[in-house]
């Protein structure tokens, strides 16, 4: 999640027989239902529409450049306002939804349009509301920050035990100056490992200048995927998804993926806010290094539903990705990470039958 406002404070509170035989189950389902092949969005949010400030709030999709800011001109908050209000910085700008209902409905409409199942985190009340509205489209996660009184070890145990939460994350520790490997996180990782619940942790880009507005403990060095290493060593059975793919510290990410084969990445936010040339260069490096089986699509849709479509288009239009690699990124890798049945076809996935076995 990329947060341009002090979200941490208020989120806590709230005759072709032979051809037919060659089709995979996903392809057959797509043809029979006239739908797109299914996509798993590993990084979706169910947020209040005001989560990034009073609407309308704009965001670059992508940004054209990251301009300089004179501290005399409003400091960090002035830069945040510039990013969110100035269309001159955007190659394409998205505008936030005008209400909670609009945000939910517009997002779910896109999930239906693109045949998406979304791993969805946010305030639990919002996640539940979205799940009730679209039970076949939402895999419930939980947005987590240290010290949230609503997410104690006892409450998380209950969520994991009952299946009310299927993914532990997004963990937004980086905004607090905390890493996945810090001792304060240890009891929560132990609990996730006990219940075999995968973890999604924010490692990588936040809003430019965020240390100067709202999150003073945010540090650039915490973009490193190395910050998850000791946690994975201590919990070798834990599945870890690195949100934002540790951008821009590619060397650290590749070394981490090489050393820890249980680690995956998702492309949340970087697939739509980064200048396309930079996103493609970063993704291509990961693919060229041989880690294409551990890259997962993620939109990091927060209050801008249109970000989903832009992120999908960035993958679909990537000239260096084969059709098979695109399907891995859009679906297969996440299905493996989430331990969906390997034989699970698109029909059952869309219906939300995530635990079924043939």
């Amino acid at each position: 999640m990329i947060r341009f406002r002090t979200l941490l404070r208020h989120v806590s509170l709230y005759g072709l027989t032979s051809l037919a035989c060659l089709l995979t189950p996903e392809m057959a389902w797509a043809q029979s239902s006239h739908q797109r092949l299914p996509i798993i969005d590993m990084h979706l949010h169910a947020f209040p529409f005001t989560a990034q400030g009073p609407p309308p709030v704009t965001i670059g999709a992508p940004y054209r450049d990251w301009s300089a800011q004179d501290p005399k001109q409003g400091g960090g908050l002035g830069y945040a306002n510039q990013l969110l209000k100035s269309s001159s910085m955007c190659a394409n700008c998205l505008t936030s939804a005008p209400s909670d209902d609009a945000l939910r409905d517009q997002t779910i409409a896109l999930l239906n349009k693109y045949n998406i199942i979304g791993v969805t985190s946010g305030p639990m009340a919002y996640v539940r509301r979205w799940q009730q509205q679209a039970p076949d489209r939402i895999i419930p996660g939980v947005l987590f920050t240290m010290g949230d009184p609503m997410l104690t070890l006892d409450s998380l145990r209950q969520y994991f035990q009952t299946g009310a939460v299927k993914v532990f994350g997004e963990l937004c520790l980086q905004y607090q100056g905390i890493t996945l490997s810090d001792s304060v996180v240890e009891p929560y990782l132990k609990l996730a490992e006990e219940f075999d619940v995968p973890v999604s942790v924010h490692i990588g880009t936040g809003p430019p200048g965020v240390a100067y507005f709202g999150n003073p403990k945010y540090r650039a060095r915490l973009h490193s995927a190395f910050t998850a290493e000791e946690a994975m060593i201590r919990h070798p059975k834990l599945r870890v998804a690195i949100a934002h793919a540790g951008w821009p510290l590619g060397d650290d990410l590749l070394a981490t993926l090489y050393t820890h084969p249980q680690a995956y990445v998702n492309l949340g936010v970087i697939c739509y806010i980064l200048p396309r040339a930079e996103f493609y260069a970063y993704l291509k490096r990961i693919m060229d290094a041989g880690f294409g089986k551990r890259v997962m699509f993620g939109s990091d849709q927060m209050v801008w539903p249109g970000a989903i479509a832009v992120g999908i288009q960035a993958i679909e239009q990537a000239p260096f990705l084969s059709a098979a690699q695109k399907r891995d990124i859009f679906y297969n890798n996440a299905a493996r990470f989430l331990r969906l049945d390997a034989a699970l076809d698109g029909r059952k996935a869309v219906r939300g039958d995530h635990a079924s076995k043939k």
Side-chain angles (χ1 to χ4, degrees):
M1 178 179 57
I2 182 170
R3 286 178 294 179
F4 288 88
R5 299 294 180 189
T6 55
L7 184 58
L8 284 172
R9 289 203 292 268
H10 59 266
V11 160
S12 300
L13 304 175
Y14 310 95
L16 296 176
T17 305
S18 59
L19 177 61
C21 291
L22 296 175
L23 296 178
T24 65
E26 282 183 13
M27 293 167 67
W29 167 237
Q31 287 199 353
S32 65
S33 64
H34 304 290
Q35 287 185 312
R36 295 171 57 102
L37 291 172
I39 292 172
I40 298 175
D41 185 339
M42 284 294 300
H43 197 150
L44 187 67
H45 292 295
F47 279 164
F49 78 106
T50 56
Q52 302 295 343
V57 177
T58 62
I59 191 171
Y63 281 100
R64 183 179 295 108
D65 58 67
W66 309 104
S67 65
Q69 172 70 26
D70 188 329
K72 291 183 178 180
Q73 307 301 317
L77 188 56
Y79 189 56
N81 288 331
Q82 182 181 354
L83 287 170
L84 293 171
K85 301 297 182 184
S86 175
S87 61
S88 65
M89 296 178 66
C90 304
N92 174 55
C93 286
L94 300 175
T95 302
S96 62
S99 69
D100 280 349
D101 287 348
L103 177 56
R104 182 195 63 230
D105 294 347
Q106 289 174 21
T107 302
I108 290 173
L110 286 167
L111 299 187
N112 289 328
K113 176 181 178 179
Y114 289 99
N115 199 9
I116 297 171
I117 310 155
V119 175
T120 308
S121 66
M124 287 305 298
Y126 279 79
V127 173
R128 290 193 189 100
R129 201 173 304 150
W130 287 37
Q131 190 179 20
Q132 289 169 359
Q133 183 83 3
D136 297 342
R137 296 292 179 189
I138 303 296
I139 297 175
V142 58
L143 190 76
F144 180 80
T145 57
M146 291 300 303
D148 186 337
M150 303 299 291
L151 295 174
T152 64
L153 281 170
D154 287 341
S155 64
L156 285 169
R157 175 176 289 275
Q158 178 72 8
Y159 287 145
F160 295 165
Q161 209 162 30
T162 62
V165 167
K166 300 289 189 183
V167 175
F168 184 32
E170 183 187 9
L171 277 63
C172 296
L173 307 171
Q174 185 176 350
Y175 290 97
Q176 299 175 290
I178 298 171
T179 77
L180 193 69
S181 297
D182 286 351
S183 60
V184 292
V185 188
E186 188 64 16
Y188 300 93
L189 298 185
K190 184 177 180 181
L191 189 66
E193 188 177 38
E194 177 185 345
F195 286 96
D196 195 24
V197 174
V199 169
S200 175
V201 58
H202 180 119
I203 301 177
T205 183
V210 70
Y212 300 97
F213 59 93
N215 298 111
K217 294 184 179 180
Y218 185 98
R219 293 294 183 271
R221 66 177 179 273
L222 301 185
H223 284 234
S224 173
F226 289 162
T227 59
E229 186 168 38
E230 295 306 320
M232 289 188 285
I233 290 290
R234 289 195 295 265
H235 301 281
K237 296 180 181 179
L238 200 63
R239 289 166 283 161
V240 176
I242 297 171
H244 317 297
W247 183 86
L249 302 185
D251 286 348
D252 294 9
L253 178 71
L254 296 183
T256 299
L257 293 176
Y258 184 87
T259 306
H260 305 283
Q262 72 273 37
Y264 286 60
V265 302
N266 79 58
L267 304 173
V269 98
I270 66 172
C271 62
Y272 72 89
I273 70 160
L274 292 183
R276 186 63 64 86
E278 168 59 17
F279 173 60
Y280 278 171
Y282 196 74
L283 176 57
K284 188 175 187 299
R285 187 172 180 213
I286 297 171
M287 303 298 291
D288 286 349
F291 297 109
K293 296 294 185 183
R294 284 190 264 159
V295 178
M296 304 180 291
F297 175 71
S299 66
D300 198 7
Q301 194 302 98
M302 291 164 275
V303 297
W304 302 279
I308 294 172
V310 177
I312 289 172
Q313 290 163 7
I315 303 302
E316 289 181 335
Q317 295 170 4
F320 54 89
L321 293 177
S322 68
Q325 288 173 322
K326 291 174 186 178
R327 285 311 300 154
D328 282 347
I329 291 171
F330 277 136
Y331 187 87
N332 297 329
N333 295 342
R336 186 188 323 112
F337 178 80
L338 295 170
R339 293 198 184 135
L340 305 184
D341 187 342
L344 196 64
D345 60 51
R347 177 188 294 268
K348 283 192 174 182
V350 168
R351 286 169 53 195
D353 192 7
H354 307 299
S356 68
K357 299 287 180 183
K358 286 192 173 183

